[in-house]
């Protein structure tokens, strides 16, 4: 500012910490909060938003109907990867070039897969490496991949880069 005051006490926005470029990510930054637009999978109608604070805490629009809701990352491909988290969806899309879908949470994955399978696409779950994530992937009845390092696909990216995620 003109008075030489620096607001370095401002916490760093989540996407900056995660080294995610917002271009093509389905999200915008409002102040230091990442805001992700969420849509009806079938109709494409806006359903609400997810807000991610710098500390990683996440909130949805109140009364959001989660079933059938999420965000597509990337343009249409015959193969689509389903993830629990937004950062994972962006990373999986960038690593593979395939469209990814952020399904909001593990509980929403099986229903999301069922909806997308009806469209005739090859659906693969990019699961989190925890009990809940693996159970959700198994319940979906489609092929799934679990990271061998870290707890999710963003961790693989952070440790070993996009090539490791693609493998």
């Amino acid at each position: 500012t003109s008075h030489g005051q620096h607001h370095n006490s401002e916490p760093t926005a989540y996407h900056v910490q995660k080294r995610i470029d917002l271009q093509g990510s389905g999200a915008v930054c409002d102040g230091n909060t990442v805001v992700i637009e969420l849509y009806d999978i079938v109709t494409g109608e806006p359903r609400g938003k997810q807000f991610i604070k710098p500390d990683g805490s996440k909130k949805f629009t109140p009364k959001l109907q989660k079933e059938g809701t999420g965000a597509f990352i990337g343009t249409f491909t015959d193969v689509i990867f389903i993830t629990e988290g937004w950062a994972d969806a962006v990373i999986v899309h960038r690593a593979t070039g395939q469209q990814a879908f952020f399904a909001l949470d593990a509980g929403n994955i099986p229903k999301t897969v069922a909806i997308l399978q009806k469209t005739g696409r090859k659906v693969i779950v990019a699961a989190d490496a925890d009990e809940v994530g693996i159970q959700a992937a198994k319940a979906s009845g489609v092929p799934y991949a679990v990271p061998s390092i870290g707890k999710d696909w963003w961790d693989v990216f952070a440790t070993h880069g996009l090539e490791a995620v693609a493998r």
Side-chain angles (χ1 to χ4, degrees):
T1 62
S2 55
H3 296 80
Q5 296 165 320
H6 292 288
H7 296 286
N8 289 343
S9 60
E10 271 295 288
T12 305
Y14 182 79
H15 71 286
V16 175
Q17 297 175 46
K18 292 284 193 184
R19 301 192 314 242
I20 292 175
D21 179 357
L22 291 183
Q23 186 77 37
S25 73
V28 296
C29 194
D30 180 8
N32 58 16
T33 300
V34 173
V35 182
I36 302 142
E37 293 282 349
L38 305 173
Y39 299 92
D40 181 296
I41 297 174
V42 179
T43 67
E45 285 175 59
R47 284 254 181 106
K49 296 175 169 69
Q50 183 184 51
F51 304 90
I52 310 178
K53 295 278 183 208
D55 66 4
S57 63
K58 301 170 174 99
K59 279 202 183 84
F60 289 110
T61 305
K63 300 188 177 72
L64 176 75
Q65 183 192 324
K66 284 188 175 181
E67 189 170 333
T69 301
F72 289 99
I73 313 293
T75 54
F76 183 94
T77 50
D78 290 330
V79 174
I80 183 163
F81 288 97
I82 313 298
T83 68
E84 284 181 43
W86 169 77
D88 295 309
V90 174
I91 291 306
V92 168
H93 164 63
R94 295 201 173 144
T96 63
Q98 305 293 331
Q99 192 175 51
F101 188 82
F102 159 44
L104 314 184
D105 58 35
N108 212 26
I109 286 178
K111 293 172 192 137
T112 300
V113 168
I115 293 167
L116 287 168
Q117 272 189 303
K118 287 190 190 117
T119 66
R121 299 175 77 178
K122 180 177 168 60
V123 183
I124 301 169
V125 176
D128 282 7
D130 57 28
E131 189 63 31
V132 177
I134 293 165
Q135 288 307 320
K138 286 182 175 169
S140 301
V142 295
Y144 64 94
V146 181
S148 53
I149 34 167
K151 59 188 189 306
D152 60 29
W153 291 101
W154 185 86
D155 288 341
V156 177
F157 161 69
T159 316
H160 296 286
L162 286 175
E163 304 76 25
V165 175
R167 281 199 301 278

